[in-house]
């Protein structure tokens, strides 16, 4: 949902399709691929940017084949909201769950497309997440978590709440994709509750320091406004 240009995986799939299905090995995205802001006519391939419902893909203008060679942004807030709009029956599965739990269940349902009651699905999803966490011991995972924590701490001080800090990191994928990739290591933001868990995992001392800095900033702003009113 945040492509600033066609994803390389989709372009590669389009090139492979043209070579295999139509014996056209010289596909040139600059001339033969059309997408918003880069319209080409005639074009061999039309790029389909990701939406809240569908992953990124392409349409072959020769045979009409539609292909979606990459996974959608599972767990993205916009995708989860679209799931609830498209599948009202899911509300029964997530009834009684808080926001973080609901996000876990919706992402799990989206990936697995299996039915179950909310709390039962939550336990299953959390067990699956727990197994994934045990495997996530690579250095790049630790680097990503540390980078996210630094951004979230700074945004917490600047924006005044953990919620705003998390939403700022999610929005960064659209507002500054290059910086987002440097912090998160990927194109898309992770789930809301994942970022919140990064904040909660910080030592209490660092969280207390961030709150103190935030309170000091707010006090300074209040004092400045008061001085402005008395002039």
């Amino acid at each position: 949902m945040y492509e600033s240009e066609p994803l390389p995986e989709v372009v590669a799939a389009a090139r492979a399709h043209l070579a295999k299905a139509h014996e056209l090995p010289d596909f040139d995205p600059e001339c033969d691929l059309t997408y918003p802001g880069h319209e080409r006519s005639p074009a061999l391939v039309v790029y389909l940017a990701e939406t809240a419902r569908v992953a990124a893909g392409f349409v072959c203008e020769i045979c009409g084949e539609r292909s979606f060679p990459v996974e959608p942004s599972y767990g993205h807030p916009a995708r989860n909201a679209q799931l609830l709009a498209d599948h009202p029956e899911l509300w029964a599965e997530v009834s009684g769950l808080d926001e973080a739990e609901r996000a876990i269940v919706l992402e799990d349902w989206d990936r697995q497309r299996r039915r179950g009651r909310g709390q039962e699905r939550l336990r299953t999803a959390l067990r699956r997440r727990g197994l994934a966490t045990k495997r996530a011991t690579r250095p790049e995972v630790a680097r990503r978590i540390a980078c996210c924590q630094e951004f979230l701490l700074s945004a917490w001080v600047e924006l005044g709440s953990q919620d705003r800090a998390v939403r700022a990191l999610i929005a960064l994928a659209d507002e500054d994709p290059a910086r987002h990739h440097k912090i998160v290591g990927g194109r898309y933001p992770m789930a809301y509750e994942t970022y919140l868990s990064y904040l909660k995992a910080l030592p209490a001392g660092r969280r207390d320091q961030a709150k103190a800095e935030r309170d000091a900033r707010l006090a300074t702003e209040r004092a400045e406004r008061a001085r402005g009113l008395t002039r």
Side-chain angles (χ1 to χ4, degrees):
M1 276 173 274
Y2 295 102
E3 304 105 304
S4 57
E5 58 186 27
L7 300 180
E9 301 94 326
V10 177
V11 175
R15 177 178 287 108
H17 168 77
L18 290 171
K20 182 177 181 180
H22 305 295
E23 298 183 350
L24 294 172
D26 299 323
F27 172 63
D28 181 357
E30 181 63 30
C31 302
D32 302 325
L33 180 68
T34 190
Y35 55 92
H38 186 85
E39 287 75 14
R40 294 292 182 267
S41 181
L44 296 178
V45 174
V46 176
Y47 181 79
L48 304 174
E50 183 177 11
T51 70
R53 286 193 178 98
V54 184
F58 69 87
V59 177
C60 175
E61 290 289 86
I62 300 174
C63 65
E65 177 174 333
R66 298 168 66 89
S67 178
F68 302 91
V70 296
E71 288 192 338
S73 301
Y74 293 119
H76 191 285
R79 184 172 176 85
N80 283 348
Q82 191 65 57
L83 281 175
L84 288 172
D86 291 344
H87 302 277
E89 69 275 13
L90 285 176
W91 282 109
E93 296 195 14
V94 299
S95 177
L97 304 180
D98 63 28
E99 182 177 0
E101 293 170 340
R102 184 164 62 246
I104 292 173
V105 171
L106 288 172
E107 180 177 346
D108 185 68
W109 184 92
D110 195 16
R111 289 179 181 275
Q112 306 298 326
R113 294 300 169 112
R114 297 173 184 161
R115 299 292 180 170
R117 298 187 65 82
Q119 293 296 336
E120 178 183 348
R121 289 198 60 79
L122 177 62
R123 287 192 292 270
T124 300
L126 289 175
R127 283 198 298 272
R128 189 175 293 117
R129 286 291 184 89
L131 291 174
T133 300
K134 291 179 182 178
R135 294 193 293 267
T137 57
R138 301 185 302 276
E140 59 267 28
V141 176
R143 186 207 66 82
R144 182 190 70 227
I145 292 174
C147 289
C148 289
Q149 286 174 330
E150 290 303 319
F151 177 94
L152 291 167
L153 281 173
S154 178
W156 184 8
V157 172
E158 179 66 25
L159 300 176
S161 73
Q162 293 185 18
D163 175 74
R164 290 177 179 174
V166 169
R167 296 188 187 282
L169 183 50
I170 291 172
L172 192 67
D174 190 27
E175 297 170 354
D176 191 342
R179 186 184 178 197
H180 176 270
H181 193 285
K182 185 175 180 180
I183 294 171
V184 178
R187 298 187 308 276
Y188 306 121
M190 304 180 74
Y192 178 98
E193 80 281 353
T194 299
Y195 291 143
L196 195 60
S197 73
Y198 290 171
L199 271 176
K200 293 180 178 179
L202 284 165
R206 294 201 67 189
R207 296 199 304 272
D208 290 343
Q209 180 182 354
K211 285 190 287 187
E213 291 176 3
R214 178 203 60 186
D215 293 344
R217 181 183 62 78
L218 292 175
T220 299
E221 290 179 355
R222 285 195 295 269
E224 291 176 349
R225 286 197 299 270
R227 284 197 297 271
L229 291 175
T230 58
R231 289 176 183 172

